[in-house]
Amino acid sequence: MSSSRLDRKRRTLWSQSGPSPRLIFGAAIIAIVGVLGMTPKELFGLTLAWPFAALWGAIGWGRAGLSLRPMILLVIFGLMQDIISNAPLGCFALINLLVYGLSAGIADQTDGMRDALVAVVGPAVLLVVAFLLIWGFASITSDHFVRSWPLFTNFFMTGLIYSFANQMFDLGRRPGESPGGN
């Protein structure tokens, strides 16, 4: 009886889907959050922190190793983010690709390790790196140090949402499989 319950639990639609449907689903979530981010983000006069949704894909998709399709999507999302935020063209695309590459490197170095330490520390380090990159690009292009608190609140929101939704950006790589095979 208990084994049939485990079999039903393992046979979810998500667990049976391959990397392509997972990539499409994650890209759709990122696109929806990005489009909603273009609307005014105020509630009772308070500005809401909005997540950098493309970083969810960069961190999550990188765990499966390097692959061309996620890189193309991250460049497209980065260019859209550059246009929306009036950043120099290519800044966010570069940041997305750097975080994606670092995520793939961490996944390669911790191959097969899916414990809590790797699942928490890896994304946290990647978010700190992304925060520093965005803050650095913003400071360089504006010729002064930009305020870090608004960026920090956005990154806090990005990390908080990713901690609950990280499975949506997992392309399903099994421990021991070769990276980039998707």
Side-chain angles (χ1 to χ4, degrees), residues 63-143:
R63 292 177 63 186
L66 297 177
S67 185
L68 187 61
R69 292 181 298 161
M71 284 188 226
I72 292 170
L73 286 171
L74 290 171
V75 167
I76 291 169
F77 290 139
L79 293 174
M80 289 172 29
Q81 211 168 354
D82 290 333
I83 293 168
I84 291 169
S85 63
N86 294 323
L89 207 56
C91 284
F92 279 104
L94 179 63
I95 291 167
N96 289 344
L97 289 178
L98 286 171
V99 171
Y100 176 72
L102 288 172
S103 178
I106 289 173
D108 187 46
Q109 294 300 314
T110 59
D111 192 31
M113 295 176 59
R114 300 276 183 175
D115 61 354
L117 182 65
V118 173
V120 171
V121 172
V125 167
L126 292 169
L127 283 172
V128 168
V129 168
F131 169 78
L132 292 173
L133 286 170
I134 290 176
W135 179 80
F137 273 118
S139 295
I140 289 169
T141 57
S142 65
D143 288 334

Side-chain angles (χ1 to χ4, degrees), residues 141-162:
T141 57
S142 65
D143 288 334
H144 61 65
F145 291 122
V146 296
R147 293 183 355 187
S148 59
W149 184 251
L151 277 177
F152 177 76
T153 57
N154 292 346
F155 271 95
F156 180 76
M157 187 61 66
T158 302
L160 184 66
I161 293 172
Y162 182 77

Side-chain angles (χ1 to χ4, degrees), residues 12-28 61 167-174:
T12 63
L13 181 62
W14 187 254
S15 67
Q16 292 178 353
S17 64
S20 294
R22 290 176 179 217
L23 183 67
I24 292 168
F25 182 77
W61 297 336
Q167 292 298 317
M168 286 193 297
F169 302 99
D170 184 6
L171 295 181
R173 178 174 168 227
R174 306 285 188 268

Side-chain angles (χ1 to χ4, degrees), residues 31-32 72 130 176 178-179:
I32 290 168
I72 292 170
S178 63

